Amino acid sequence: MSLTIAGESFGSRLILGTGGASSLAALEEAVKASGTELVTVALRRVEAAATMGGGLLDLLDRCGVRLLPNTAGCYTATEAVKVAHLAREAFETPWVKLEVIGDERTLLPDGVELVRAAEELVADGFTVLPYTTDDPILARRLADVGCAAVMPAGAPIGSGLGVTNPHHIALIRQNVEVPVILDAGIGTASDAALAMELGCDGVLLATAVTRAADPARMAAAMRHAVEAGWLAAGAGRIPKRFHALASTPDEGRPDL
Amino acid sequence: MKVLLNGTAHVLPDGATVAEAVAAATDRLRGVAGAVNGRGGTRTGWPGPGAGDGDQIEVLTAAQGG
């Protein structure tokens, strides 16, 4: 069940974002229930971070998870590269979830800026996990410049629309050698299971858990969904048929 | 000298180091990064070159984010 990214192994294929939780206590319960070993954090001014719950790092320490800093809120490669450097300094990790947003309304990535930032960060020794679109060609370009994984959106961040283009997600899986993590758009457990059944190596989600009515319960659901989807993907599903195929044999049926 | 510390006007001693500017913003030591005029200082570099009058200093730490 383990997921390997850039030579590092994780016992869970679920990556949890911390954004949107109503309290640190609710977040801690959700992180624990999710079984995740990798959790994203943002970098913000100390005053703003304090109002959002200053004890975030201590909480994540208690949960025994590894940090994946993000560059959320960046609109240019230049800005994202600077934030990645500051995050590396703050959290002492070269891992970064690279986000370069192209549009305020959709929060979808700007592919041109994203590739530019990824190239620069990889050259500077970062382990780059880019949040990208469901474009298979862009995913390949990101893998080609040395990204450790590609993380296509299932749907816009926080939308809960699920996997809106399953065919493209499956194509991305075929197009790159690095792990594919479905990132953003997940609304409920069946979305996460579908992503895994399409061949994804993992799922990254935040809102679906942190803004659920019962975050810990949804986190547990996501844990099981990711595991179920991964098992199903490797189990060789039956082909779809137009008509029925009896599962009980006709042979030995009584004449009554 | 007058600086902008996380967007707010602050007065720091002339020649204050970035470490001193960071200390003015937070008592945290862990999980903190500082930048002067958009350029990040390394932890080891903080005590080095001081900030100048009118500099923009950003002191950042972990926040919830997806």
Side-chain angles (χ1 to χ4, degrees):
Chain A
M1 184 62 201
S2 71
L3 167 66
T4 302
I5 304 172
E8 299 282 333
S9 205
F10 300 91
S12 167
R13 290 177 179 268
L14 178 59
I15 303 172
L16 197 66
T18 54
S22 59
S23 70
L24 284 180
L27 179 63
E28 184 163 357
E29 279 182 24
V31 171
K32 287 176 177 167
S34 75
T36 189
E37 294 181 5
L38 186 61
V39 167
T40 67
V41 293
L43 197 61
R44 289 291 180 268
R45 286 174 169 170
V46 287
E47 306 88 341
T51 62
M52 288 188 255
L56 182 60
L57 289 180
D58 294 336
L59 181 163
L60 297 175
D61 273 353
R62 284 197 297 277
C63 294
V65 295
R66 184 171 169 158
L67 295 189
L68 177 60
N70 70 23
T71 61
C74 293
Y75 281 79
T76 65
T78 305
E79 201 182 355
V81 166
K82 282 181 182 177
V83 170
H85 278 269
L86 289 167
R88 181 164 71 176
E89 187 60 31
F91 308 126
E92 299 173 50
T93 172
W95 284 47
V96 63
K97 173 187 167 181
L98 179 61
E99 289 185 47
V100 189
I101 299 304
D103 177 277
E104 205 172 72
R105 196 161 60 93
T106 65
L107 297 179
L108 286 170
D110 179 326
V112 175
E113 294 292 305
L114 187 64
V115 173
R116 192 175 297 159
E119 211 163 7
E120 194 173 332
L121 289 170
V122 168
D124 207 19
F126 282 85
T127 299
V128 181
L129 289 75
Y131 163 61
T132 182
T133 63
D134 60 19
D135 177 353
I137 307 304
L138 178 57
R140 192 168 62 204
R141 289 289 301 272
L142 289 163
D144 286 347
V145 301
C147 290
V150 291
M151 306 205 297
I157 293 169
S159 68
L161 291 171
V163 183
T164 54
N165 197 338
H167 183 60
H168 273 202
I169 299 300
L171 277 175
I172 288 174
R173 179 55 290 168
Q174 288 182 2
N175 249 9
V176 300
E177 298 291 326
V178 294
V180 176
I181 313 292
L182 197 289
D183 179 5
I186 297 288
T188 188
S190 54
D191 300 330
L194 172 62
M196 297 302 289
E197 288 173 5
L198 290 168
C200 288
D201 300 275
V203 170
L204 193 164
L205 56 90
T207 310
V209 161
T210 57
R211 294 204 163 105
D214 186 339
R217 187 173 177 135
M218 186 59 87
M222 293 300 182
R223 172 187 198 155
H224 292 300
V226 167
E227 286 179 11
W230 183 77
L231 286 168
R237 62 152 296 156
I238 59 164
K240 291 183 180 180
R241 298 169 57 95
F242 191 75
H243 291 295
L245 174 67
S247 56
T248 305
D250 260 354
E251 194 183 8
R253 196 160 61 102
D255 265 336
L256 299 171
Chain B
M1 64 181 179
K2 291 177 184 169
V3 296
L4 266 185
L5 186 57
N6 284 356
T8 307
H10 271 259
V11 177
L12 294 176
D14 283 346
T17 64
V18 178
E20 285 166 333
V22 168
T26 180
D27 52 7
R28 287 169 189 278
L29 294 173
R30 181 171 163 256
V32 176
V36 178
N37 299 329
R39 296 190 62 177
T42 63
R43 206 168 284 268
T44 48
W46 277 357
D53 202 41
D55 279 350
Q56 290 189 26
I57 302 171
E58 295 285 338
V59 182
L60 311 171
T61 191
Q64 291 176 43

